[in-house]
Amino acid sequence: MSFENIVLEMPEPGIYLLTVNRPKALNALNPATLGEIGQAVAQVAADGAARVLLVTGAGDKAFVAGADISAMQSFTAVEAKEFSLQGLRVLRSLENLRVPVIAVVNGYCLGGGCELAMSCDWILASDRALFGQPEVNLGVTPGFGGTQRLTRLVGRALALELVTTARNLKADEALAAGLVTRVFPAESLREEAFKMARVVASKGPVAVRLAKETIQRGQDLDLDNACVLESDAFALCFTTADQKEGMTAFLEKRKANFEGK
Ligand code: CAA
């Protein structure tokens, strides 16, 4: 499938890389770009060989600087609602991909860009990354889930402070707040992201998918029901060849060769 606003490639076996590719507009998300991200997600979802998806922005200036302000400027309320629902739907499909999705944030990560990053499973940042929800500067609220995902990630007080003041967080502050999991020098961010992707891709694929599903589904349940999900996932692993291979390889002191079944 060929795209105009994004690039989807598999540079290494099992590792997909999605690059938002509108560097002249700092990779801003317009409806066409969102549509292409949705198609790319569907493509990765349909590929049983996929193990992990990296999401990044083209150029060294921005991950994504937000939803496209030129596209939104003359929206009616109905169009704004449709755009918001499109963004929410596409970001939710990314979040619901069965394989882990890692945001690789190399610069401005603002508004819809921060919302895109937060719909990934975790965020790796360069030391030059800048995070924020600056929508109130434009007289609007976040529209692609920022009020909800930011609150879940950093807590209500900081989310409210950031969303109502439009203050941006530098990478070190985003790390301290739990918004990102690791910060790397800008020059090594891409290689560090691939290193991490290779680690994920080397593990038991069924176990990785079940772990993601259990963490994701469990976080909205009470602890008792969430732990039932976990024990069911654990038991399901024992139907797989990967469990036999993983445990046998450990006992034979060799590296496991997982086949994802
Ligand atoms: N939408 C459309 N175009 C954008 C954009 C955006 N979100 N962000 C940057 N651009 C464009 C600029 O208009 C500019 O285009 P031209 O060269 O044609 O003039 C180009 O990208 C480069 O940007 P700047 O010249 O502004 O670069 P800078 O280095 O001076 O500033 C910046 C960088 C601080 C990120 C600044 O571009 C900026 O503040 N961008 C807007 C950030 C923002 O408000 N994001 C939230 C959008 S609303 C939203 O996302 C709603 C939602 O939740 C769904």
Side-chain angles (χ1 to χ4, degrees), residues 24-26 28 61 65-70 72 108 110-112 115 134-135 138 141-144:
K24 284 192 184 133
L26 302 188
K61 204 170 162 191
D68 191 313
I69 300 167
S70 321
M72 291 185 292
Y108 291 113
L110 302 175
E115 292 164 314
E135 287 86 347
L138 304 165
T141 63
F144 296 163

Side-chain angles (χ1 to χ4, degrees), residues 22-30 34 61-62 64-72 80 83-84 87 91 107-115 130 132-138 140-147 168:
R22 300 183 70 215
K24 284 192 184 133
L26 302 188
N27 303 319
L29 301 173
N30 59 13
L34 279 173
K61 204 170 162 191
V64 167
D68 191 313
I69 300 167
S70 321
M72 291 185 292
F83 186 51
S84 169
L91 269 47
Y108 291 113
C109 183
L110 302 175
C114 193
E115 292 164 314
L130 201 65
Q133 297 290 157
E135 287 86 347
V136 291
N137 288 337
L138 304 165
V140 298
T141 63
F144 296 163
T147 58
N168 293 331

